Amino acid sequence: VLLAQSRLKEAEAYLQESLDICQQIYPAEHAQIANSNRNMGALFLHQGKLVDAEKQMRKALELNRGIHGTDHPKSVMSVHDLASVLKEQGKLTEAEPLFIEVLNWRKRRLGPDHGNTLNAMNSLVSLYLKQKDLSKADPIVFEAVEIGRGKGSNQKELVLAIANLGDFYQHSNKFVEAEPLLQEAVELGREILGPDSLAVMRYLNNLAQFYSRQKRIAEAEPLFLEAIELSKRLAGPTDK
């Protein structure tokens, strides 16, 4: 709740206290400590403290693997967490095999059409788009949208799959195909994620940049302004 309200200093103090207590009352290798490390890592990631986030996610992964083994859902979740932090740091070569490991595990254990499998596909596609490696993204990005639409539209992973496909077409210079997907990501994002979502802000900005590159300034400007206003709301009140 504190994180959602952007009260980040309070959240950090609370989570640090929680971690300290866990380390005092539990053995060194305990699931609750791993969970506390993960929560701290998620907060640091949200704050942009990526070095600290990586440190906490590595601790959580080490603990979960020691407690549960490598083939347990919590260990796989920790692999995905670490890969996500590495991707944000730009350590794409290090993140890629981790995302692939998660995707293969989820396909094998959960099935190809499971929501968590779609999440792993989206994560891997996002990495390939960041690398501008369209040949690797190509088979997965279309499959992700197909799976997402097949499961029904009321889910956040479908929105990301659509946004990824729009970006894929942009990178491929297929602007006619990209535009309706980028528009759909904004509209569906508002509906599913809510109007005050960080993801929606990104989708607004992506669409605005798409129009701007095509010199369609009249269409880009209100989207840029809306994204700026949303950014201010998400940041919360500033100290005076």
Side-chain angles (χ1 to χ4, degrees), residues 11-31:
E12 184 174 345
Y14 172 81
L15 291 176
Q16 184 62 61
E17 181 181 5
S18 175
L19 176 59
D20 291 343
I21 292 171
C22 287
Q23 289 173 332
Q24 291 172 17
I25 64 176
Y26 294 118
E29 289 195 0
H30 193 279

Side-chain angles (χ1 to χ4, degrees), residues 9-226:
K9 289 184 179 179
E10 291 178 58
E12 184 174 345
Y14 172 81
L15 291 176
Q16 184 62 61
E17 181 181 5
S18 175
L19 176 59
D20 291 343
I21 292 171
C22 287
Q23 289 173 332
Q24 291 172 17
I25 64 176
Y26 294 118
E29 289 195 0
H30 193 279
Q32 193 59 48
I33 295 177
N35 188 54
S36 292
N37 287 135
R38 181 176 188 253
N39 289 339
M40 285 292 295
L43 174 63
F44 287 140
L45 177 60
H46 187 78
Q47 292 175 310
K49 298 179 179 179
L50 300 181
V51 173
D52 292 329
E54 179 183 346
K55 182 179 178 181
Q56 293 297 326
M57 293 308 190
R58 287 191 183 279
K59 286 181 179 179
L61 175 57
E62 182 182 359
L63 283 173
N64 278 322
R65 280 178 167 170
I67 295 165
H68 305 291
T70 59
D71 201 43
H72 191 276
K74 286 191 175 182
S75 298
V76 176
M77 178 182 66
S78 285
V79 173
H80 188 274
D81 290 338
L82 177 58
S84 298
V85 172
L86 293 172
K87 186 186 80 170
E88 289 302 310
Q89 289 179 296
K91 298 179 179 180
L92 305 182
T93 302
E94 192 174 350
E96 181 181 356
L98 300 179
F99 279 133
I100 292 173
E101 177 185 341
V102 172
L103 177 57
N104 290 339
W105 186 92
R106 289 179 178 175
K107 279 184 173 179
R108 185 179 74 251
R109 294 288 296 271
L110 305 177
D113 296 338
H114 193 278
N116 287 344
T117 304
L118 179 57
N119 167 264
M121 294 173 72
N122 281 336
S123 296
L124 188 57
V125 168
S126 295
L127 179 136
Y128 289 144
L129 291 175
K130 203 164 186 177
Q131 290 177 319
K132 294 183 172 54
D133 194 336
L134 302 184
S135 63
K136 287 184 178 179
D138 189 349
I140 309 171
V141 68
F142 292 99
E143 185 183 356
V145 172
E146 182 180 357
I147 291 172
R149 293 198 191 280
K151 291 177 69 63
S153 61
N154 190 24
Q155 45 154 344
K156 65 178 182 178
E157 291 300 335
L158 171 60
V159 185
L160 180 52
I162 290 169
N164 280 342
L165 183 55
D167 286 341
F168 175 84
Y169 279 132
Q170 275 203 91
H171 289 308
S172 305
N173 295 321
K174 295 182 177 180
F175 302 116
V176 173
E177 292 89 343
E179 182 174 354
L181 291 163
L182 296 174
Q183 291 172 337
E184 186 180 2
V186 171
E187 294 164 4
L188 204 57
R190 285 172 174 151
E191 177 185 335
I192 293 174
L193 307 174
D196 287 354
S197 163
L198 180 61
V200 170
M201 183 188 73
R202 290 172 179 166
Y203 301 148
L204 283 166
N205 194 58
N206 285 347
L207 183 57
Q209 289 182 348
F210 173 82
Y211 288 138
S212 181
R213 291 187 190 104
Q214 298 186 56
K215 310 302 182 185
R216 295 161 64 178
I217 305 304
E219 291 166 279
E221 184 177 4
L223 295 169
F224 275 129
L225 292 174
E226 185 177 350

